[in-house]
């Protein structure tokens, strides 16, 4: 089994959110003086965020407000602010996950049972959206590999397929055909077993907000955000590469792999750089890192592959 | 009824439209400073001014059909509407260059050349420049109304390009953008001189006697 990934940083190592916010205010106060109070939100982090080069390596988490008010979760609407507005209608308890396909112990697992057996830990990861913005998120989760090992993966399995809940009564946009529902995603088995790949059930040490994919979501930090499927109800071990939602929508624009790669552009925009959310209007753009900065941990998964072809 | 309205409208000076037209801009500035633009103010501002620009463009295009079909005469406000559109589109471009892409010239050139929606958007902006520059009485009297009007027919391609630019931005087809595009197409169709082209076809199919 691969070596477990250990983050050098814990949430407690960074400035607590409360103080972080206070620090911002101090900076605003010092910098903008009189106009500080109103200028706060727009220019607040002008001084707090570092410049281009070190910016990409900075792992100061975004605030809970930023992380939970700027989401792509099309089940609740296509606007970034829709999920925070509408996701409260989702019932996340009771919740179970069906694990089937090429596994030794298929079945419907209750979420409480999954979490009871999980080794929950904090992982502060960069999160890079395919739309060229990014955040840093302190997830609470456990390695997907541990769950897969628990249910026993059969040797014929090559891929893992994931499925989001389909419940139009609680997920209003599922009544429209903006995407083919339910949302589906997939990973190659070795990607799924990589110690960086986690299932998250929390954020900032608390329960995952519903707009962030409660109660259980995937997090694959070296891939574009849409690979990290939310509100998972089914995990299937399969032999063939499974269909994935965005790839179905635009095969030219969204590949199965969708690894973060500044050298391979989206058909309609460059992926060379990104805007880190939370820096106000003058926040510096920062260069995007290959595999979102996790090259050391995951590059060997793709040895010999043409990443421009397998985008 | 429409005559009363037209008479009322005649008494409103065109500068009032300039003042009203800057209100959305001031509103966005207020939102920016009060945090109302959310956690990604750059995108919100960029999208905001872009959409307002498109609305003014569409409004300018609607003025002639409104007169033609409803008898509503807004002609005296058209220059103000057009220049306001140019103001917002320029802001849109400025926000993109300065705050979004931040003068990463390599990426800017690559985007303009390689990415259709940016190429199209830039095309629309470039075509608007001669229109904005000639939107004053001095130039109008200098080049004469015929040539001036011919030049200002550039608004039609500008509208098409702007509508397509907006429709191509989303990851999926956004209903709102498609509604704008459809509206633009319908407004442009009203400008086709049906009478003229019908009579031309009529002449073609009826043998001369």
């Amino acid at each position: 089994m691969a070596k477990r990934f250990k983050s050098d940083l814990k949430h407690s190592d960074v400035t607590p959110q409360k103080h972080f916010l206070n620090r911002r205010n101090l900076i605003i106060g010092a910098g903008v003086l009189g106009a500080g109070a109103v200028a706060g939100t727009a220019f607040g982090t002008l001084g707090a965020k570092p410049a281009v080069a070190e910016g990409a390596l900075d792992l100061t988490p975004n605030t809970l407000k930023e992380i939970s008010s700027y989401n792509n979760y099309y089940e609740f609407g296509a606007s970034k602010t829709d999920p925070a507005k509408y996701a409260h209608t989702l019932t996340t308890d009771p919740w179970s996950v069906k694990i089937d396909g090429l596994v030794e112990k298929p079945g419907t697992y209750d979420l409480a049972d999954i979490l009871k057996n999980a080794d929950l830990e904090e992982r502060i990861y960069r999160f890079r959206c395919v739309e060229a913005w990014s955040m840093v998120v302190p997830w609470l989760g456990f390695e997907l590999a541990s769950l897969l090992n628990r249910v026993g993966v059969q040797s014929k399995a090559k891929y893992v397929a994931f499925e989001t809940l389909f419940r139009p009564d609680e997920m209003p946009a599922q009544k429209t055909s903006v995407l083919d529902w339910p949302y589906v995603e997939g990973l190659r088995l070795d990607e799924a077993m990589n110690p960086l790949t986690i299932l998250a059930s929390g954020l900032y040490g608390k329960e995952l907000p519903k707009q962030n994919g409660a109660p259980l979501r995937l997090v694959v930090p070296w891939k574009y955000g849409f690979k990290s499927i939310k509100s998972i109800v089914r995990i299937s071990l399969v032999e063939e590469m499974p269909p994935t939602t965005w790839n179905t929508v635009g095969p030219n624009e969204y590949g199965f792999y969708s690894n973060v790669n500044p050298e391979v552009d989206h058909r309609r925009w460059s992926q060379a750089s990104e805007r880190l959310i939370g820096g106000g209007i003058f926040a510096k753009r920062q260069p995007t890192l290959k595999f979102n900065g996790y090259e050391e941990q995951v590059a060997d998964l793709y040895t010999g592959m043409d990443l421009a072809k397998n985008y | 009824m429409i005559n009363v309205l037209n008479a009322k409208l005649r008494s409103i000076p065109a500068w009032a439209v300039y003042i009203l037209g800057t209100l959305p801009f001031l509103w966005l500035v207020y939102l920016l400073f009060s945090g109302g633009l959310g956690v990604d103010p750059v995108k919100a501002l960029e999208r905001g001014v872009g959409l307002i620009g498109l609305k003014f463009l569409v409004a300018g295009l609607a003025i002639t059909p409104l007169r033609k079909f409803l008898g509503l005469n807004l002609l005296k406000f058209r220059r103000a509407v057009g220049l306001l559109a140019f103001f917002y589109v320029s802001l849109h471009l400025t926000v993109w260059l300065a705050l979004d892409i931040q003068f990463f010239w390599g990426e800017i050139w690559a985007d303009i050349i390689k990415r259709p929606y940016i190429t199209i958007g830039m095309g629309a902006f470039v075509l608007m420049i001669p229109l904005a520059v000639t939107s004053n009485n001095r130039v109008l009297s200098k080049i004469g109304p015929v040539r001036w009007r011919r030049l200002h027919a550039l608004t039609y391609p500008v509208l098409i390009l702007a509508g397509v630019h907006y429709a191509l931005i989303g990851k999926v087809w956004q209903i709102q953008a498609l509604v704008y595009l459809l509206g633009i197409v319908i407004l442009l169709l009203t400008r086709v001189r049906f009478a003229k082209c019908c009579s031309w076809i009529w002449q073609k199919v009826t043998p001369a006697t």
Side-chain angles (χ1 to χ4, degrees):
Chain A
M1 200 186 125
K3 189 166 83 43
R4 278 176 60 85
F5 170 81
K6 273 287 170 207
S7 169
D8 302 339
L9 286 167
K10 287 275 176 235
H11 174 204
S12 53
D13 290 335
V14 301
T15 314
Q17 194 192 356
K18 189 177 64 183
H19 298 146
F20 182 71
L21 292 173
N22 283 342
R23 196 179 65 183
R24 289 185 178 191
N25 288 336
L26 285 175
I27 292 161
I28 300 156
V32 199
L33 281 171
V38 274
T41 321
F43 305 108
T45 50
L46 181 58
K49 290 281 180 217
V52 175
E54 42 178 325
L57 301 169
D58 176 39
L59 273 176
T60 307
N62 280 89
T63 64
L64 183 60
K65 180 176 180 267
E66 286 158 0
I67 298 169
S68 61
S69 66
Y70 192 79
N71 309 95
N72 276 322
Y73 197 168
Y74 277 45
E75 281 80 347
F76 297 103
S79 147
K80 298 273 185 304
T81 48
D82 284 343
K85 261 185 247 162
Y86 304 118
H88 63 90
T89 55
L90 181 66
T91 311
T92 52
D93 186 19
W95 195 274
S96 57
V97 181
K98 186 178 174 186
I99 305 181
D100 60 359
L102 302 166
V103 289
E104 305 296 345
K105 287 173 271 181
T108 300
Y109 291 79
D110 194 66
L111 180 67
D113 172 54
I114 292 175
L115 294 180
K116 195 179 68 203
N117 287 284
D119 187 6
L120 285 175
E121 59 178 306
E122 180 149 67
R123 292 276 179 101
I124 300 173
Y125 279 158
R126 274 178 288 276
F127 182 93
R128 170 61 156 81
C129 179
V130 73
E131 296 164 348
W133 53 266
S134 65
M135 291 194 187
V136 176
V137 185
W139 301 108
L140 186 67
F142 59 95
E143 292 181 8
L144 173 61
S146 67
L147 177 63
L148 295 181
N149 287 332
R150 183 182 158 207
V151 298
V153 177
Q154 293 180 14
S155 58
K156 270 171 71 183
K158 298 278 184 299
Y159 293 92
V160 187
F162 303 86
E163 199 176 298
T164 295
L165 176 73
F166 179 71
R167 196 183 284 162
D169 287 343
E170 295 184 1
M171 299 174 131
Q174 284 183 335
K175 289 174 184 155
T176 71
S177 54
V178 61
L179 293 176
D180 267 338
W181 313 109
Y183 192 92
V184 287
E185 258 306 334
L187 294 173
R188 221 170 53 192
L189 185 58
D190 57 348
E191 296 176 323
M193 299 299 273
N194 186 284
L196 280 188
T197 306
I198 59 167
L199 288 174
S201 62
L203 194 63
Y204 264 114
K206 296 192 198 91
E207 221 170 69
L208 204 56
K210 289 177 178 175
Q211 58 269 36
N212 290 87
L216 191 70
R217 66 169 290 167
L218 183 68
V219 180
V220 198
W222 72 94
K223 292 175 181 284
Y224 293 120
F226 67 86
K227 293 293 291 182
S228 295
I229 184 171
K230 301 185 181 81
S231 307
I232 298 168
V233 291
R234 188 178 174 195
I235 300 174
S236 311
L237 277 288
V238 294
E239 211 178 337
E240 303 290 326
M241 185 183 277
T244 59
T245 295
W246 280 103
N247 180 248
T248 317
V249 172
N252 297 328
E253 298 186 337
Y254 311 97
F256 175 81
Y257 288 98
S258 288
N259 293 318
V260 175
N261 192 343
E263 295 144 33
V264 180
D265 288 341
H266 185 277
R267 291 273 284 227
R268 285 179 287 154
W269 54 83
S270 162
Q271 296 290 25
S273 61
E274 65 202 37
R275 287 176 319 105
L276 182 62
I277 298 297
I281 59 162
F282 294 128
K284 282 263 197 309
R285 232 184 148 79
Q286 61 190 33
T288 290
L289 302 172
K290 197 161 188 181
F291 296 112
N292 206 20
Y294 302 97
E295 188 167 9
E296 203 184 306
Q297 290 92 344
V298 300
D300 58 346
L301 291 170
Y302 309 102
T303 313
M305 275 174 71
D306 182 347
L307 294 173
K309 270 196 195 120
N310 298 285
Y311 53 91
Chain B
M1 169 70 191
I2 204 86
N3 290 336
V4 177
L5 193 58
N6 280 338
K8 280 241 162 63
L9 284 168
R10 258 198 303 280
S11 65
I12 299 174
W15 56 258
V17 175
Y18 287 105
I19 302 224
L20 285 175
T22 52
L23 291 182
F25 170 68
L26 296 175
W27 175 241
L28 278 176
V29 171
Y30 165 74
L31 288 180
L32 177 65
F33 283 95
S34 67
L37 292 183
V39 301
D40 190 6
V42 174
K43 267 289 135 157
L45 195 64
E46 183 180 291
R47 295 270 161 99
V49 290
L51 188 58
I52 297 166
L54 183 64
K55 282 177 178 167
F56 275 109
L57 279 174
V58 173
L61 187 65
I63 285 174
T64 296
L66 280 176
R67 194 174 59 141
K68 207 155 116 184
F69 299 111
L70 300 179
L72 186 65
N73 190 356
L74 298 168
L75 218 53
K76 80 181 259 202
F77 306 114
R78 191 159 63 180
R79 176 178 292 168
V81 169
L83 285 173
L84 282 164
F86 185 70
F87 168 68
Y88 282 101
V89 171
S90 305
L91 270 178
H92 177 60
L93 179 64
T94 307
V95 172
W96 179 65
L97 282 176
L99 301 179
D100 185 346
I101 203 83
Q102 297 175 10
F103 303 113
F104 279 39
W105 289 108
E107 280 185 53
I108 292 168
W109 289 124
D111 276 352
I112 291 174
I113 294 161
K114 276 166 64 179
R115 307 191 202 290
Y117 83 93
I118 293 178
T119 318
I120 289 169
M122 279 306 291
F125 175 74
V126 168
L127 291 183
M128 284 179 83
I129 295 172
L131 304 185
V133 170
T134 56
S135 282
N136 57 72
N137 293 338
R138 203 168 48 81
V139 177
L140 175 60
S141 57
K142 201 168 164 189
I143 67 174
V146 175
R147 274 196 294 171
W148 190 89
R149 213 170 293 146
R150 203 176 296 153
L151 176 68
H152 280 248
L154 276 177
T155 46
Y156 306 146
V158 166
L159 258 295
I160 291 279
L161 291 174
V164 172
H165 167 74
Y166 184 35
L168 284 179
I169 287 174
K171 272 199 298 195
V172 290
W173 296 111
Q174 302 280 354
I175 305 277
Q176 178 172 266
L178 294 178
V179 168
Y180 270 91
L181 191 55
L182 183 70
I184 289 168
V185 170
I186 291 172
L187 285 173
L188 285 177
L189 284 176
T190 66
R191 311 305 304 271
V192 178
R193 291 180 201 157
F194 284 110
K196 207 171 180 183
C197 79
C198 286
S199 66
W200 181 77
I201 292 166
W202 187 247
Q203 279 161 17
K204 284 275 168 197
V205 294
T206 29
T209 46

